[in-house]
Amino acid sequence: MSAESPVLLVALLGHADWQQVSVLASPPAPTLTVSGVSLVPDIRGRGTDLGGHLLAVLQPPSRNDWHIDVLIQSAASGGASAVLIGDSSPLSQPSSALAARVGLTVLGADDPLAAALAARRFVSEAELHAADTVLRVTSMAVRSGEGVEDVMKAVGSVLRRPLALVATGGDTLLGADVVLEEDRETVARTLTAVAARSRATQRVELSGSALLIAHPVPPTTARDATMWLVTRLPHDLPAESAASTAALSVAAAVIGQRASLRRLAVERDARARASLLGELLNAPDDLAPTTRRRALDAGWRLDGWHLGVRIDTSPDVDPVAQRPEVVNALREEGLEAVVVEQGDGWSAWITSEDEPRGADVEARAGQIRRAQRRLSITAATAVGVGRCHSGPRGVARTLGEAGEAARLAAGRVASGRFLHVDRLGLGQTLLAWTRTDTFQPAARSLLAPLEGQPGDLLHTLTTYLDEESSVSETAAILGIHRNTVSQRLSRIRSLLAVDLADPSERLALHLACRTIWIPPSDVG
Amino acid sequence: MSVPGPQTLRAADLEALAVGLCLLGSGGAGDPHPFSSVLRSRLGDGELVLHAPAGLAGASVVPVGMVGATSVFTEKLPHGGEFGAAVAAIGRWTGALPEAVMAIETAGLNGITALVAALHLGLPYVDADLAGRGLPRLDQLTWVSAQLPLTPCALAFPGGHTLLIDRASPTDVERTIRAALAGTGGWAALALTPVPAGLLDETACVGTLGRALALGRAHGSLRMMADAAEVAEVLGGEILGEGRVYDVLRHSSDGGLHAESSVTVLDRQGPVLRIETENEFLMVLVDGQPRATVPDLICLLDRRTNRPLAVDALRRGDEVFVLVLPAPAWWLAPEHLDRVSPSAFAIDCPPLLLAGRP
């Protein structure tokens, strides 16, 4: 048995093992401590050496019995911290008047023995309590279900305190609300990513004597954000906080392991989906029967009409981990979509029996746009939507279009990084691509040497390329002599250092011209 | 406590007597005031001699009193013949003609009933009784301590019928009478077996009525708003506290047979007084420590008028003195004490008496 360490009575009262204990008279001062527990069999018993002790009377006395008064008096004069009696019905008026007079806290419990033994454990057997708690947490956590939630529930049932997974900064990811708004700053200061790297339990002392015990959860992958397993104790009961510290480190390890297992399973599924989609995209016309079979198992309907959606996101988002959120966002908008992790984002498609009418497709696009807005809470995305196509080949085509559209959408802040191919012709789509945020600077820098030169070199070059490299046509359109055109073209060649006979260079220049010099017919 | 020479009682003494009887009642035993007006009209201008037992040595003395609910007695008044009927019945049964009357219990209401009976029967009154103070049960009478039987005894009910009990133990007598009272009018006149007056010095409390008168007269000399020390000195007792009645907790045990209560008095100086009661005040605890018990007379007095307060009249907010007066001397003998000690009232506390203190 370890040395006795006085504990605060209010902290004892706040503990789950003392849930059945109530204050019957003279509520304890916040600083009142208990340094030991004395037991007497009944109300006539008198403890010896009561100084600082909790005197527990095991046999519940009748509330009207004057012996309670004698007990209160003798306990108070013996220096006891408090008296605990059986059953929690209120004290009689005379007894409570006396308790108030002598200033002795009187507690009631339906099972005074259990309460007294619990108190004794907290006061003088803190290590035993910690060891017992860790053992129970370990056995409960190991036997709990597969999910992180199951582990949290099992550990919570042993600790009987609110338990949560909290992100660095104090956001609760899972579980009870342990970080109150007013404590957020304190929590954010202590639970930092740097602190998590030390793998040590952190204590956060909060306002109003409450205490947070936090242990970092071992990360599953390198790009996982730091998580803390946090419990909130209303008071610092040394035995309990020591036990919680030890128990949380065990629980955090188990949670980390469960998260890894789940991650493995999720990644296995993701790989399976990705490879299936790969086969589908590679050979949509000539599907092997096994591929068809696997698609069926995965719940993919290859026949019917498909509307492809491509969701691109930034490289720091984990598409495997966040897939459920994408599925949910679509589902909440009423869209049952197949979602496959692919690259830095997701490919998805929605299948319907019959060819959808234009209005239906419009409505779907609207729903997808709203789903994107829902997703924006967790990740910034660029979304492209393809046209409707049918059959296994249709999946490949609509996803191809959607992919193109998504790439274009990424540069279009004004449209909310959302693009629906159906609205533009394919040619326009391609052209539109040149007007993206990424291409325009490139085009401008390509054509920069032409700026400020005498003669309308940019206009001349654009017209020349538009008119199938015909000098005479260009001269006719611009209303100048063909020699002038030739002379301008040679200046352009030397300024840009390009070979206009090379098809790819010509194409690049043509696109750049169309980007910067927009014909009046295309404006708007 | 014997008083030298025969004392007399006049109508003018009745107020003092009533207060004295209340003090001896220790919060119980009934209010003597309503019936003392009957005594006043019987006495008229005359006087009643309070004989000492020694003065009537050879006479056969019959103890009389009323049993049952004192509150019913004041509502359902006697027609006057009950005590005569009881005495006549016991005379018929024993064949001995009573020559004098004494009280069963000289406290509260019963201090007056025996006097009225003596006047009604035209017999001399012997100042002796079997209780010396207010006591709730017949099996607590001095005769039981002195190994004398309570039977034969006769009960006369206000309805006119008579009940005679013979060859029963004191406990049986108590139980039979309680049962009979529950089935009839709530109270009855009781007459016990007449005994020679010479026996009373040994087997009864002598001079209790004299003590009641002395207490009443001393009380009458108190000023209004007297302080605690003055009250204690004049009445010859000790004040355990003075303050406000904070709570009257009525509870009962034995399936409601015994009306118990705990009175909490907050002393002006701070201590918390708790007074445990049944029909009478039984014990006083000051700050959780027992300080006084039966058979000492625990009395609560109105702090303004000094009037004794009955257990059932106490209310929250009353301002009171908590006073202890010495027990009747008869009960202090170790062989008698058991019958009226706290344990006789199911209180496991040794008797704490003024007489035992330095």
Side-chain angles (χ1 to χ4, degrees):
Chain A
M1 193 155 103
S2 60
E4 312 213 328
S5 55
V7 299
L8 292 174
L9 187 56
V10 287
L12 272 179
L13 282 166
H15 192 266
D17 283 352
W18 261 40
Q19 215 164 31
Q20 53 145 345
V21 179
S22 52
V23 177
L24 302 182
S26 305
T31 53
L32 182 66
T33 58
V34 172
S35 60
V37 179
S38 301
L39 296 174
V40 291
D42 64 25
I43 193 85
R44 289 168 178 76
R46 299 282 168 268
T48 51
D49 262 352
L50 286 179
H53 278 212
L54 171 75
L55 177 63
V57 181
L58 301 185
Q59 190 78 34
S62 149
R63 280 297 177 264
N64 300 323
D65 195 336
W66 54 272
H67 284 97
I68 295 182
D69 290 23
V70 179
L71 177 86
I72 290 171
Q73 192 278 329
S74 67
S77 62
S81 292
V83 167
L84 172 70
I85 59 176
D87 110 53
S88 43
S89 49
L91 276 191
S92 69
Q93 290 279 10
S95 303
S96 38
L98 179 63
R101 153 99 174 137
V102 298
L104 182 75
T105 300
V106 181
L107 308 167
D110 291 329
D111 185 351
L113 181 61
L117 292 181
R120 175 170 285 172
R121 210 155 83 143
F122 292 130
V123 173
S124 45
E125 298 159 8
E127 278 92 347
L128 182 65
H129 180 68
D132 178 56
T133 308
V134 170
L135 275 180
R136 286 195 297 148
V137 162
T138 309
S139 95
M140 286 296 279
V142 168
R143 279 188 287 137
S144 64
E146 291 181 356
V148 171
E149 296 88 345
D150 300 318
V151 180
M152 301 262 294
K153 213 164 154 188
V155 174
S157 74
V158 176
L159 297 183
R160 285 176 292 170
R161 293 289 188 204
L163 198 61
L165 285 177
V166 172
T168 299
D171 285 322
T172 301
L173 304 173
L174 181 69
D177 242 346
V178 291
V179 182
L180 304 183
E181 204 49 55
E182 66 260 31
D183 299 327
R184 238 188 138 87
E185 256 180 61
T186 326
V187 172
R189 261 204 307 280
T190 317
L191 303 188
T192 57
V194 178
R197 248 168 262 145
S198 74
R199 299 283 164 83
T201 310
Q202 299 288 330
R203 277 167 63 105
V204 189
E205 315 227 336
L206 305 177
S207 51
S209 80
L211 182 68
L212 285 190
I213 309 258
H215 193 90
V217 176
T220 318
T221 63
R223 58 175 167 179
D224 266 8
T226 307
M227 272 196 307
W228 296 82
L229 180 61
V230 181
T231 186
R232 185 190 180 89
L233 311 179
H235 298 280
D236 184 8
L237 188 59
E240 187 189 22
S241 39
S244 302
T245 303
L248 285 194
S249 64
V250 173
V254 177
I255 286 174
Q257 181 243 3
R258 291 298 158 88
S260 305
L261 284 182
R262 173 182 281 189
R263 173 79 196 183
L264 266 181
V266 166
E267 278 189 349
R268 203 169 44 233
D269 288 354
R271 255 200 317 280
R273 272 192 299 271
S275 77
L276 186 55
L277 182 62
E279 286 174 40
L280 191 62
L281 297 184
N282 283 338
D285 296 325
D286 184 23
L287 279 182
T290 51
T291 311
R292 275 189 178 276
R293 178 64 195 273
R294 277 168 57 208
L296 199 66
D297 287 347
W300 296 5
R301 279 166 51 201
L302 298 182
D303 303 317
W305 290 80
H306 312 289
L307 181 67
V309 183
R310 173 65 202 180
I311 305 167
D312 277 334
T313 182
S314 56
D316 56 311
V317 174
D318 180 356
V320 176
Q322 296 225 6
R323 175 177 178 266
E325 285 158 43
V326 176
V327 173
N328 281 340
L330 290 169
R331 184 169 295 150
E332 274 164 35
E333 289 303 331
L335 297 172
E336 285 299 331
V338 175
V339 179
V340 179
E341 306 86 342
Q342 228 191 1
D344 284 331
W346 302 269
S347 293
W349 68 93
I350 301 148
T351 308
S352 54
E353 205 81 42
D354 308 309
E355 181 173 8
R357 290 174 293 120
D360 291 346
V361 174
E362 283 293 307
R364 289 257 168 87
Q367 286 168 311
I368 292 165
R369 186 189 269 277
R370 282 195 293 278
Q372 180 193 18
R373 215 167 293 145
R374 280 178 191 278
L375 268 179
S376 68
I377 300 164
T378 47
T381 55
V383 175
V385 180
R387 287 180 296 179
C388 271
H389 297 285
S390 69
R393 166 185 278 280
V395 174
R397 286 183 63 187
T398 186
L399 282 181
E401 289 170 11
E404 288 296 329
R407 268 192 292 285
L408 295 179
R412 297 191 143 198
V413 185
S415 63
R417 300 191 199 278
F418 180 91
L419 202 62
H420 184 192
V421 173
D422 232 18
R423 291 202 174 161
L424 342 146
L426 213 48
Q428 265 183 309
T429 309
L430 272 178
L431 186 60
W433 187 75
T434 63
R435 293 185 195 144
T436 57
D437 296 348
T438 42
F439 190 79
Q440 277 196 347
R444 218 164 253 127
S445 71
L446 184 62
L447 299 173
L450 303 186
E451 266 173 48
Q453 291 294 326
D456 196 354
L457 295 189
L458 183 58
H459 196 177
T460 309
L461 179 60
T462 308
T463 314
Y464 173 73
L465 293 171
D466 279 353
E467 298 311 318
E468 303 169 39
S469 305
S470 161
V471 175
S472 50
E473 276 297 307
T474 308
I477 288 170
L478 295 179
I480 51 177
H481 194 271
R482 59 190 303 272
N483 284 352
T484 311
V485 174
S486 301
Q487 186 260 331
R488 281 185 186 176
L489 283 173
S490 63
R491 268 173 64 209
I492 289 167
R493 275 191 207 98
S494 66
L495 279 170
L496 299 180
V498 293
D499 177 9
L500 286 177
D502 181 339
S504 52
E505 286 193 8
R506 202 170 58 228
L507 173 63
L509 273 183
H510 199 175
L511 279 171
C513 290
R514 297 292 295 230
T515 302
I516 290 179
W517 185 77
I518 302 161
S521 61
D522 279 7
V523 172
Chain B
M1 190 194 284
S2 73
V3 182
Q7 271 194 306
T8 58
L9 182 72
R10 295 171 175 281
D13 300 321
L14 288 185
E15 185 51 42
L17 178 65
V19 171
L21 288 172
C22 281
L23 290 172
L24 291 179
S26 183
D31 182 3
H33 287 93
F35 206 50
S36 68
S37 51
V38 176
L39 180 59
R40 191 185 310 276
S41 67
R42 289 265 181 195
L43 268 177
D45 293 336
E47 62 175 31
L48 181 74
V49 181
L50 310 178
H51 294 282
L56 294 169
S60 155
V61 188
V62 61
V64 299
M66 103 4 110
V67 286
T70 53
S71 53
V72 177
F73 184 87
T74 54
E75 286 174 11
K76 187 175 177 181
L77 290 168
H79 54 69
E82 293 91 345
F83 293 97
V87 171
I90 201 73
R92 277 200 302 282
W93 186 261
T94 57
L97 207 62
E99 294 157 315
V101 171
M102 66 181 280
I104 289 172
E105 174 195 38
T106 299
L109 173 61
N110 261 338
I112 305 285
T113 52
L115 293 167
V116 173
L119 287 173
H120 182 77
L121 294 167
L123 294 175
Y125 178 86
V126 176
D127 183 8
D129 72 309
L130 307 182
R133 52 158 290 152
L135 288 174
R137 304 195 306 268
L138 292 172
D139 60 2
Q140 287 177 311
L141 297 181
T142 58
W143 280 5
V144 180
S145 268
Q147 312 290 329
L148 290 179
L150 292 183
T151 53
C153 62
L155 287 171
F157 294 91
H161 44 290
T162 306
L163 179 70
L164 199 129
I165 304 168
D166 201 358
R167 301 188 186 186
S169 73
T171 320
D172 288 335
V173 169
E174 166 74 16
R175 200 175 297 148
T176 310
I177 289 178
R178 293 291 155 208
L181 287 170
T184 58
W187 71 269
L190 173 69
L192 300 182
T193 315
V195 294
L199 211 58
L200 295 180
D201 277 332
E202 291 298 313
T203 61
C205 301
V206 175
T208 311
L209 200 79
R211 185 185 181 194
L213 267 176
L215 275 175
R217 283 172 184 147
H219 182 276
S221 72
L222 279 174
R223 295 176 296 115
M224 284 273 242
M225 305 294 289
D227 65 19
E230 187 183 343
V231 172
E233 195 191 327
V234 168
L235 296 180
E238 187 186 329
I239 298 284
L240 295 181
E242 53 174 314
R244 194 169 50 80
V245 174
Y246 169 68
D247 181 63
V248 181
L249 177 70
R250 311 239 182 237
H251 50 98
S252 43
S253 60
D254 300 348
L257 214 63
H258 293 287
E260 297 175 9
S261 56
S262 304
V263 180
T264 312
V265 175
L266 298 184
D267 189 278
R268 299 163 79 196
Q269 314 297 329
V272 176
L273 280 79
R274 174 173 181 150
I275 302 122
E276 291 295 294
T277 78
E278 276 185 27
N279 289 326
E280 289 83 25
F281 299 114
L282 302 179
M283 174 165 74
V284 182
L285 293 98
V286 179
D287 274 348
Q289 282 182 307
R291 284 285 301 278
T293 67
V294 279
D296 270 0
L297 299 161
I298 299 163
C299 305
L300 265 62
L301 309 184
D302 184 300
R303 209 153 65 82
R304 194 173 55 85
T305 63
N306 306 314
R307 292 195 74 84
L309 298 166
V311 170
D312 50 11
L314 273 179
R315 294 292 177 266
R316 246 186 118 120
D318 286 347
E319 289 279 339
V320 296
F321 285 118
V322 180
L323 170 75
V324 196
L325 299 173
W330 200 88
W331 291 117
L332 296 180
E335 65 271 25
H336 299 153
L337 190 55
D338 274 358
R339 205 150 282 278
V340 290
S341 70
S343 59
F345 297 90
I347 292 176
D348 61 343
C349 175
L352 297 168
L353 305 176
L354 289 176
R357 274 194 247 159

